[in-house]
Amino acid sequence: MKRKVIIDTDPGIDDSLAIMMALASPEIEVIGITLVAGNTPVEMGFENAKKVLKHVGRLDIPVFKGADKPLKKEFVSALDTHGEDGLGESFLETVEGYEQELSALEFLEQTLEKESVDVIAIGPLTNFAQLLEKNETAFNNIGRFVSMGGTYKSHGNCSPVAEYNYWEDPDAASIVYAQMSKIHKKIEMVGLDVTRKIVLTPTLLEYIKRLDKETGTFIQQITKFYFDFHWEWEHIIGCVINDPLAIAYYLQPDLCTSFESYVQVETESISRGQTLVDAYSFYKQEANAKICTQVDVKEFYYMFLERVLHKTREELDILEEILR
């Protein structure tokens, strides 16, 4: 049976690529997409999600608007990274309609009251902190909880120590990790340590266009701004696509090396959003997280392209050479 999954997201360039990958993966059934303020304001994220769903022909997937600001701090988008429209300033045609009666919080609560469903969260964790406050039983019914967020030994991307998703709503992340301790579960943290190794290069993008002109052109449209941003700020020829790795890891956990540890998310001052990973068990606390540290980049790209381009491994005949 396919595993039922909810994707919680703030689309976002790399979020959009993650959605494309998830919907092309036969192992899972995405039963809903919930939106949170993060890379984009919620209304913009809603428009972007519809554009991606239209591109892949999956407007049957319901999209629910969620928290429009962090629990306590002021909302700070990442449009400087993702462009004025949140999709790399591609300014794709608007998809009309598609409003849902339920909010993201209502959808999460009603779904999880009925059955256990896995969650892949690739934005701030505000929706889940709100769910926990409203209905702890429903929150505790989440199966696997994969989160693209945090960083173990890598520097941050919006402060010296913090990754954006947890920096944007550190209070929500702190609450979710604390609850995992309480219910003896582990959040699966796919942080910057590993996602920074997933770089979409110009050569890879050209290869994608050669294999599938329509999909390749779409990816090029939404990533051009991302390429320019990464060159300006990090001198990377290409762009880091963080969120698709959370999907790939969910599908194939052995894609990443990981270890279990107790994690606490800092909420104040210059360390806001930092993931304090107690790898040496100074606190003597039960592990509440599984921390990814390494990734097989070649296997990731085989998985990503097999799904997004609907190709077999044999058809990706020169991918290994491109990745050398």
Side-chain angles (χ1 to χ4, degrees):
M1 293 180 63
K2 290 187 176 184
R3 291 171 285 176
K4 292 184 178 181
V5 171
I6 295 169
I7 297 177
D8 190 77
T9 179
D10 54 343
I13 295 167
D14 54 329
D15 305 74
S16 299
L17 297 175
I19 291 169
M20 291 169 64
M21 183 180 186
L23 294 179
S25 296
E27 304 95 327
I28 62 176
E29 176 188 358
V30 178
I31 63 171
I33 295 173
T34 52
L35 301 177
V36 63
N39 292 327
T40 59
V42 165
E43 290 294 337
M44 184 182 291
F46 180 60
E47 297 303 321
N48 290 346
K50 290 189 291 181
K51 292 173 183 179
V52 176
L53 293 177
K54 180 182 178 182
H55 172 74
V56 297
R58 292 301 307 273
L59 282 168
D60 58 299
I61 305 294
V63 180
F64 304 92
K65 299 175 188 176
D68 61 1
K69 60 182 180 181
L71 295 181
K72 296 181 180 180
K73 65 176 280 292
E74 181 182 354
F75 171 57
V76 180
S77 76
L79 296 184
D80 61 330
T81 304
H82 293 265
E84 184 181 332
D85 63 347
L87 269 185
E89 300 187 353
S90 56
F91 300 110
L92 299 172
E93 183 179 353
T94 299
V95 179
E96 299 296 337
Y98 209 58
E99 296 282 345
Q100 304 295 325
E101 292 184 3
L102 299 178
S103 69
L105 182 57
E106 290 167 334
F107 169 71
L108 289 168
E109 181 179 23
Q110 291 182 19
T111 301
L112 291 164
E113 280 184 332
K114 294 185 296 185
E115 59 182 330
S116 178
V117 175
D118 293 344
V119 164
I120 306 175
I122 51 178
L125 297 179
T126 317
N127 286 333
F128 298 98
Q130 290 184 343
L131 175 63
L132 184 55
E133 181 180 3
K134 184 180 181 186
N135 190 329
E136 184 175 344
T137 301
F139 177 95
N140 294 346
N141 209 27
I142 295 172
R144 286 182 65 191
F145 195 141
V146 173
S147 169
M148 191 278 118
T151 181
Y152 171 38
K153 289 191 173 180
S154 177
H155 62 279
N157 60 0
C158 56
S159 86
V161 297
E163 175 275 332
Y164 173 79
N165 286 338
Y166 291 4
W167 175 89
E168 176 58 28
D169 197 341
D171 300 285
S174 178
I175 287 169
V176 169
Y177 275 83
Q179 183 67 9
M180 289 297 179
S181 292
K182 180 179 175 181
I183 61 177
H184 309 290
K185 286 188 176 182
K186 297 176 182 65
I187 197 165
E188 299 173 58
M189 186 181 114
V190 184
L192 289 177
D193 300 75
V194 287
T195 62
R196 275 202 168 105
K197 294 168 183 163
I198 306 300
V199 178
L200 178 65
T201 65
T203 303
L204 269 169
L205 180 56
E206 184 61 31
Y207 182 53
I208 290 169
K209 289 174 61 182
R210 297 281 178 171
L211 292 171
D212 185 326
K213 185 176 180 180
E214 182 181 359
T215 300
T217 300
F218 180 82
I219 293 173
Q220 183 179 45
Q221 284 179 300
I222 68 173
T223 57
K224 182 183 183 304
F225 187 95
Y226 224 22
F227 272 73
D228 294 340
F229 176 87
H230 280 82
W231 172 251
E232 180 180 357
W233 290 98
E234 299 185 41
H235 266 45
I236 293 174
I237 300 178
C239 61
V240 177
I241 52 172
N242 304 281
D243 293 333
L245 182 57
I247 305 297
Y249 165 78
Y250 173 85
L251 295 167
Q252 186 178 321
D254 63 2
L255 192 68
C256 294
T257 303
S258 62
F259 70 99
E260 295 181 355
S261 176
Y262 173 74
V263 173
Q264 179 176 311
V265 181
E266 296 300 307
T267 61
E268 301 293 339
S269 191
I270 61 172
S271 61
R272 184 179 83 199
Q274 180 178 10
T275 38
L276 181 58
V277 179
D278 188 17
Y280 301 100
S281 195
F282 283 100
Y283 293 159
K284 307 302 179 187
Q285 296 282 340
E286 178 184 353
N288 61 355
K290 188 176 182 181
I291 315 298
C292 294
T293 56
Q294 299 291 332
V295 60
D296 187 328
V297 175
K298 181 181 76 174
E299 286 303 312
F300 164 81
Y301 269 112
Y302 270 114
M303 182 184 293
F304 180 71
L305 297 186
E306 283 169 0
R307 286 161 169 73
V308 171
L309 302 180
H310 306 287
K311 299 292 183 182
T312 65
R313 183 167 290 231
E314 290 71 28
E315 290 175 299
L316 302 173
D317 52 349
I318 64 168
L319 178 58
E320 189 164 350
E321 182 178 340
I322 289 173
L323 292 171
R324 284 177 186 162

